[in-house]
Amino acid sequence: MARYRLRYQNHEIEVPPGEFAVGRSAECQLTLDDPLVSRRHALFHASPRKLSVEDLGSRNGVKLNGTRIAGEVELSPGDVVTVGSEEFTVEVISGESQTKLPRKAAVTMTGPAPDANVLVGGGGALALLSGVVDKALAMGRVDEAERILSNLLAETLTGLQTGKRDASTLPDAAKYALTLAAQTGKASWIDWVFSAYHAAHKMLPASTVDELYNLVRKTKFAMTPALRAYLDGIRNTADQLSPTERFVLQRLEGLVRVVLAS
């Protein structure tokens, strides 16, 4: 039985059997943040015998190997499907070890998630979206970057709190949360970092703590339950900390004094 995947920006998206909608709408299985993509732009049809793509009457159309299609067209391995400005290369796969995109992510798969810790190409939805987010931030479209990241970071935190996600992507997720804090001035993104590291039972990197010294002043961050819970958790394990981690704890204690004084 043939199975299919789409290679997109160095990542692999397995196409589930049945219909697989692509567009800007959150109702699509794959949501693309691209102004050239319509709300419901294209529909992939996957069966054991073939994979096809259909233009759903989109404004900018669907291209197959550079040529705009009409209606539904069957695809072959190596075909390049262009939706808006996004290119997908068709591949046929076999075996059961291929990675799958979660059934909901902000290049977003809708429907129930089989497992919140299933990753795309080892990097997960965060890796899949990083190029889009970085581009939005570089262009000063902070609201757009925040909109893309909000659901993803919320799902990451929930996964950490419920034990369904490991902490492998936490440093990158925290980096984006702190970037949003700096760009938007919202203290809630700093709170996210404390909540996430508390849920993961991890010590904040020293470089992150240094960055927080600047951000708590900029965002007028107040002493919150998330910061208290994180600090209490670290204090409770103080006798197990390495010398480096004890130094970070001292820096965190200093950070609290800055927060209380502001």
Side-chain angles (χ1 to χ4, degrees):
M1 182 178 69
R3 291 163 53 225
Y4 306 91
R5 69 184 173 199
L6 304 173
R7 183 172 293 278
Y8 171 65
Q9 294 186 354
N10 296 321
H11 301 285
E12 298 167 354
I13 305 170
E14 186 169 336
V15 182
E19 295 184 343
F20 181 84
V22 178
R24 285 192 298 111
S25 171
E27 297 178 357
C28 293
Q29 279 75 33
L30 180 63
T31 302
L32 297 174
D33 191 66
D34 183 330
L36 298 180
V37 174
S38 299
R39 287 184 58 78
R40 279 181 56 84
H41 196 114
L43 191 66
F44 287 90
H45 302 268
S47 73
R49 292 183 176 82
K50 71 174 184 177
L51 176 68
S52 61
V53 65
E54 177 184 0
D55 183 2
L56 297 178
S58 63
R59 181 179 59 185
N60 294 303
V62 175
K63 293 181 180 179
L64 174 58
N65 300 325
T67 301
R68 186 164 179 167
I69 68 171
E72 183 179 349
V73 177
E74 186 171 348
L75 300 171
S76 300
D79 281 345
V80 177
V81 177
T82 305
V83 177
S85 60
E86 314 299 326
E87 291 188 347
F88 301 86
T89 302
V90 177
E91 297 180 346
V92 176
I93 56 178
S94 60
E96 299 301 322
S97 61
Q98 302 298 327
T99 56
K100 299 181 182 180
L101 190 66
R103 292 290 297 179
K104 187 166 181 62
V107 173
T108 310
M109 302 282 290
T110 58
D115 185 346
N117 195 38
V118 178
L119 303 178
V120 179
L126 184 64
L128 183 62
L129 286 172
S130 61
V132 178
V133 173
D134 291 343
K135 181 178 179 180
L137 290 170
M139 297 177 67
R141 289 151 47 181
V142 180
D143 289 346
E144 180 179 320
E146 185 176 29
R147 177 172 57 80
I148 297 169
L149 286 168
S150 290
N151 287 341
L152 179 59
L153 291 177
E155 290 175 0
T156 298
L157 179 56
T158 299
L160 289 169
Q161 291 171 334
T162 58
K164 293 181 178 179
R165 182 182 292 271
D166 64 30
S168 60
T169 60
L170 180 54
D172 288 334
K175 178 194 72 173
Y176 281 119
L178 293 178
T179 298
L180 290 176
Q183 295 290 332
T184 66
K186 294 180 180 178
S188 58
W189 290 117
I190 296 177
D191 229 29
W192 184 96
V193 173
F194 289 123
S195 295
Y197 272 87
H198 178 60
H201 307 290
K202 295 289 186 180
M203 176 67 79
L204 281 160
S207 59
T208 300
V209 177
D210 291 341
E211 188 174 356
L212 285 169
Y213 269 83
N214 294 322
L215 287 177
V216 295
R217 296 186 179 95
K218 181 176 181 178
T219 61
K220 299 181 179 179
F221 184 80
M223 194 70 181
T224 64
L227 173 52
R228 284 194 179 94
Y230 176 70
L231 196 57
D232 287 345
I234 296 299
R235 286 167 175 162
N236 289 337
T237 61
D239 58 341
Q240 303 172 27
L241 299 179
S242 68
T244 299
E245 289 172 330
R246 285 196 290 271
F247 171 75
V248 175
L249 176 57
Q250 292 175 358
R251 293 284 289 157
L252 283 168
E253 300 281 9
L255 180 67
V256 170
R257 291 193 288 272
V258 171
V259 170
L260 292 175
S262 61

